[in-house]
Amino acid sequence: MSVLSVGLNHYLILSMLLFVIGTSGVIIGRKNVIMVMMALELMLLSTNIAFIAFSSFLNDLVGQIFSLFSLMVAAAEAAIGLAIVVVYFRNRQTINLADISSMRG
């Protein structure tokens, strides 16, 4: 019976695949703000997987600490972005990016 081990390459491949899925989500879902925000969060989480994998591989805590700071920034960005979307939806009754880009201030 063979023992399966998960190495650094597996985590980096997973991180790369999640980043590509997030990038394609940004490109495909350019009309919906919520989909773009979810795809950006997926991209940020994929980079956190890479940070933690390298941190574990190098036996160093710097990558894990940086990942925690990145998660805090991502949570703040999501909360502020969602608040902006809610306020915009209340005023305009739509969240299409084509309508948002036509705002004049």
Side-chain angles (χ1 to χ4, degrees):
M1 194 155 143
S2 66
V3 176
L4 295 175
S5 65
V6 179
L8 179 64
N9 291 337
H10 296 97
Y11 288 113
L12 294 180
I13 290 171
L14 174 67
S15 176
M16 179 198 61
L17 288 175
L18 289 175
F19 194 85
V20 167
I21 291 170
T23 305
S24 63
V26 170
I27 292 171
I28 292 172
R30 287 190 294 178
K31 292 184 179 183
N32 191 348
V33 176
I34 302 295
M35 187 170 173
V36 170
M37 288 176 59
M38 286 175 35
L40 288 174
E41 289 295 323
L42 187 63
M43 292 168 65
L44 285 172
L45 290 176
S46 71
T47 57
N48 285 336
I49 290 173
F51 285 144
I52 292 174
F54 278 119
S55 176
S56 176
F57 181 72
L58 298 173
N59 292 326
D60 190 15
L61 291 177
V62 174
Q64 294 177 17
I65 294 170
F66 192 76
S67 177
L68 285 175
F69 283 120
S70 174
L71 284 173
M72 285 189 289
V73 169
E77 173 258 332
I80 292 171
L82 191 58
I84 291 170
V85 168
V86 167
V87 168
Y88 185 79
F89 181 76
R90 285 183 184 171
N91 291 335
R92 301 285 178 124
Q93 302 299 319
T94 184
I95 57 171
N96 289 335
L97 282 177
D99 296 337
I100 292 174
S101 64
S102 67
M103 284 179 29
R104 302 282 180 210

